[in-house]
């Protein structure tokens, strides 16, 4: 178990996954906040959702 933790820390698996998840959620929230502040940009909402879906 100790070797597994050492390898995980060296490779950064957990850290990389958490950073990727945080970045994805931040972009999602920023996109929706920007779209909701200007409701006339509904096509932008669709583009934002598609861009985030492709990224994941």
């Amino acid at each position: 178990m100790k070797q597994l933790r050492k390898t995980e820390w060296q490779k950064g698996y957990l850290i990389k996954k958490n950073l990727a998840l945080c970045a994805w959620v931040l972009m999602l929230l920023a996109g929706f906040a920007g779209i909701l502040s200007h409701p006339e940009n509904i096509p932008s909402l669709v583009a934002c959702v598609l861009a985030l879906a492709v990224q994941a």
Side-chain angles (χ1 to χ4, degrees):
M1 188 65 150
K2 191 173 187 179
Q3 181 64 30
L4 178 63
R5 284 187 184 168
K6 184 177 178 182
T7 303
E8 184 176 332
W9 179 255
Q10 288 173 343
K11 300 288 184 181
Y13 295 138
L14 184 61
I15 294 171
K16 289 177 186 175
K17 287 179 183 178
N18 285 337
L19 286 176
L21 178 64
C22 289
W24 191 86
V25 169
L26 181 65
M27 287 190 304
L28 181 69
L29 291 175
F32 280 118
I35 298 303
L36 293 176
S37 67
H38 299 286
E40 65 275 3
N41 292 333
I42 296 301
S44 296
L45 175 61
V46 175
C48 180
V49 169
L50 289 176
L52 289 171
V54 169
Q55 180 188 6

